[in-house]
Amino acid sequence: MQESVIDIRGLDNAERIKVQLRTEAPKRWQVDDIVALFELPFADLMHRAQSIHRENFDPNGVQVSTLLSIKTGGCSEDCGYCPQAARYHTDVEKQDLMQLEEVLAAARAAKENGASRFCMGAAWRSPKQRDLEPVLKMIQEVKAMGLETCATLGMLKDGQAEQLKEAGLDYYNHNLDTAPEYYGDVITTRTYQDRLDTLERVREQDINVCCGGIIGMGESRVQRAGLLAQLANMERPPESVPINLLTQVEGTPMYGMDELDPFEFVRTIAAARITMPQSFVRLSAGRQSMHEGIQALCFLAGANSIFYGEKLLTTDNPEAETDRKLFDKLGIHPL
Ligand code: SF4
């Protein structure tokens, strides 16, 4: 295997070190390998990510999904970033499960706006059977409109993934959020293993996996690399990898955190592209606060999927028209 030696700025001890970077992706990514990617000079990292992106995807195509919150707030979990947790005092208004017709109207509008996938999100720890049944109907009807379907409903119990598959679900979203070592600082009401178990149930049914995390929650660079290693080393890496930038919401424990350097976010996107060459890397929450120049760098780094629409669950997302203008400026077309 061909190898190249590249000078890299030091890690914790700030000494300049030399790391041998394999020109072919290792079968199993070590966290150190991924940290070494983050440490590359920006132009080198971008070149590498863009080259891999071009080998695997249409470089100017971006997949567009729309996300609708079908049940909002009142969640029993304690995710430290989430305004929908019942225990935090935020402006989010609790809303029961939406009616089928309202969901279908939103799906129709999403399709007219160019979305190819419609994601339905419900703030549940885990759906009860009586909750799941109306959602199955929504999935069937949205699928019948010719849209891909995605759902994020919390942890799945035995038998629930089967029902979702039968209803025609294409993707299930369940994020790992962060590296295992930092997870306890973010959530205490369920474990990392709980999340992996749900993902396994989804995989067993051959449903595509949408799984990523949130960046800027106070984690270290090593922990950002640790999250990517978890995702990239899955037996089958997720087909879709949402990389969210923390949207700080007043009333949540993570409100008031130091803001992440935007270039570190771009580096995370690039490292995700390199470690998961065939996955769609989705630029997700946090786009609202991102200058369009940084969004353009994210596309250059290999992001090739976005959420489109005014609201991302409960936080603002750039309006569809603003996104269309940005796509036009960059010569991007929706996939
Ligand atoms: S992220 Fe999901 S599970 Fe966690 S508190 Fe929010 S709605 Fe509940």
Side-chain angles (χ1 to χ4, degrees):
M1 185 167 60
Q2 195 191 348
E3 290 188 334
S4 58
V5 178
I6 298 175
D7 279 340
I8 289 172
R9 295 259 165 220
L11 304 177
D12 288 340
N13 60 7
E15 285 174 11
R16 198 168 176 86
I17 59 166
K18 285 193 170 184
V19 176
Q20 287 186 314
L21 284 174
R22 291 175 281 274
T23 52
E24 290 173 20
K27 291 224 171 350
R28 198 175 162 77
W29 285 92
Q30 301 300 317
V31 174
D32 285 352
D33 292 326
I34 303 176
V35 171
L37 294 174
F38 274 87
E39 299 284 331
L40 283 170
F42 191 73
D44 292 349
L45 175 61
M46 294 295 276
H47 176 66
R48 196 165 157 163
Q50 175 64 204
S51 305
I52 289 177
H53 188 50
R54 282 174 181 264
E55 280 165 22
N56 291 282
F57 287 101
D58 169 354
N60 301 306
V62 170
Q63 187 274 330
V64 177
S65 294
T66 291
L67 174 60
L68 177 70
S69 181
I70 57 172
K71 183 265 170 189
T72 306
C75 181
S76 60
E77 301 294 274
D78 72 346
C79 309
Y81 51 82
C82 182
Q84 302 200 63
R87 66 192 70 203
Y88 308 138
H89 300 288
T90 66
D91 289 342
V92 169
E93 271 181 43
K94 192 170 174 298
Q95 194 183 70
D96 291 340
L97 188 64
M98 284 171 80
Q99 296 298 312
L100 177 65
E101 273 316 314
E102 287 176 274
V103 174
L104 298 185
R108 246 175 254 119
K111 192 173 179 198
E112 278 161 21
N113 267 315
S116 61
R117 189 177 311 156
F118 190 68
C119 309
M120 292 160 270
W124 287 316
R125 172 179 164 82
S126 177
K128 298 185 181 73
Q129 188 57 31
R130 68 163 186 271
D131 297 325
L132 194 61
E133 274 159 21
V135 176
L136 296 174
K137 185 77 185 148
M138 292 171 192
I139 292 167
Q140 284 165 356
E141 300 273 332
V142 171
K143 178 101 178 160
M145 282 181 194
L147 281 162
E148 286 185 315
T149 55
C150 175
T152 181
L153 313 171
M155 291 185 285
L156 297 180
K157 296 190 267 297
D158 278 342
Q160 294 188 321
E162 285 88 325
Q163 295 178 65
L164 290 166
K165 175 76 181 177
E166 264 174 43
L169 189 72
D170 295 302
Y171 285 79
Y172 194 76
N173 165 265
H174 200 59
N175 289 333
L176 288 179
D177 284 355
T178 189
E181 300 72 30
Y182 194 60
Y183 185 81
D185 289 59
V186 180
I187 300 143
T188 66
T189 48
R190 59 176 146 178
T191 65
Y192 214 74
Q193 190 56 48
D194 288 333
R195 298 204 174 220
L196 294 170
D197 290 347
T198 288
L199 293 169
E200 201 179 310
R201 290 188 172 108
V202 170
R203 272 289 181 230
E204 277 168 5
Q205 295 307 313
D206 209 20
I207 298 172
N208 293 311
V209 166
C210 173
C211 178
I214 307 174
I215 308 302
M217 297 193 293
E219 77 286 341
S220 65
R221 178 177 269 183
V222 173
Q223 288 161 341
R224 283 189 275 285
L227 165 68
L228 296 182
Q230 284 288 325
L231 296 165
N233 290 335
M234 286 178 178
E235 204 178 309
R236 242 170 89 192
E239 282 76 15
S240 168
V241 179
I243 303 290
N244 298 280
L245 177 63
L246 174 69
T247 303
Q248 300 196 10
V249 181
E250 200 165 350
T252 60
M254 293 200 168
Y255 182 70
M257 283 253 154
D258 288 345
E259 299 278 345
L260 188 80
D261 181 322
F263 292 110
E264 184 69 8
F265 186 78
V266 179
R267 285 178 182 275
T268 310
I269 296 278
R273 166 51 63 229
I274 294 166
T275 53
M276 291 169 274
Q278 287 167 358
S279 302
F280 278 85
V281 175
R282 177 175 299 145
L283 192 49
S284 297
R287 266 197 324 121
Q288 174 71 18
S289 61
M290 225 177 264
H291 187 276
E292 61 179 20
I294 294 294
Q295 292 188 50
L297 282 177
C298 289
F299 293 131
L300 205 58
N304 59 347
S305 174
I306 59 161
F307 275 121
Y308 206 49
E310 288 173 34
K311 286 271 177 191
L312 206 51
L313 291 178
T314 58
T315 55
D316 288 343
N317 196 38
E319 289 173 19
E321 187 50 33
T322 314
D323 285 333
R324 259 194 295 272
K325 280 189 190 146
L326 182 59
F327 275 23
D328 285 349
K329 277 194 235 182
L330 300 177
I332 285 175
H333 54 264
L335 290 175

